[in-house]
């Protein structure tokens, strides 16, 4: 039983930061998913794949895993790369890519 501890990224459909401030402990699947023959749904007999625990900090998530003797792996969040340019840079005469209407 292996668990992942990570800080979730924002969804691609949203520019907001909701649900990205907490750390998540999620169990790795032990058995592969299978296709249910009657309806075509993907099914899994692994009940731990439905468990998702949220913690306010990484230390609390790690402490929970250690206290309950759960093997875990911590995935650190990647740094955000923000380009700091001004609006007037769009209209410079010496742009590498010319701007047209």
């Amino acid at each position: 039983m292996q668990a992942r501890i990570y800080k979730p990224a924002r969804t691609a459909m949203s520019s907001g930061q909701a649900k990205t401030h907490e750390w998540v402990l999620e169990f790795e699947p032990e058995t592969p998913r299978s296709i249910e023959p009657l309806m075509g749904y993907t099914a899994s007999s692994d009940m731990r794949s439905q468990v998702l625990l949220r913690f306010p900090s990484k230390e609390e998530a790690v402490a929970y895993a250690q206290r309950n003797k759960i093997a875990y792996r911590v995935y650190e969040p990647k740094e955000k790369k923000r380009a700091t340019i001004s609006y007037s840079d769009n209209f410079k005469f010496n742009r590498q890519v010319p701007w047209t209407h």
Side-chain angles (χ1 to χ4, degrees):
M1 176 172 61
Q2 176 92 13
R4 292 183 288 195
I5 298 174
Y6 63 95
K7 195 169 186 180
R10 66 177 179 85
T11 63
M13 300 301 292
S14 171
S15 62
Q17 298 296 318
K19 298 183 182 179
T20 61
H21 303 293
E22 297 176 328
W23 287 81
V24 174
L25 185 138
E26 181 180 31
F27 291 98
E28 296 278 347
E30 292 180 357
T31 59
R33 292 183 180 263
S34 60
I35 297 175
E36 195 266 325
L38 180 62
M39 298 297 289
Y41 300 143
T42 55
S44 176
S45 61
D46 185 17
M47 295 306 246
R48 289 190 183 113
S49 66
Q50 299 177 10
V51 176
L52 186 86
L53 301 173
R54 295 185 181 274
F55 297 92
S57 69
K58 176 176 69 170
E59 291 77 22
E60 290 183 30
V62 169
Y64 176 84
Q66 290 174 347
R67 187 171 55 246
N68 292 304
K69 298 181 176 87
I70 299 170
Y72 64 91
R73 182 176 298 160
V74 177
Y75 294 94
E76 295 292 335
K78 294 183 180 177
E79 295 277 335
K80 296 177 189 175
K81 294 181 182 176
R82 302 284 297 187
T84 55
I85 61 169
S86 65
Y87 181 72
S88 62
D89 289 343
N90 293 328
F91 306 102
K92 283 186 175 179
F93 289 107
N94 58 356
R95 282 184 57 138
Q96 294 179 1
V97 178
W99 181 82
T100 61
H101 289 282

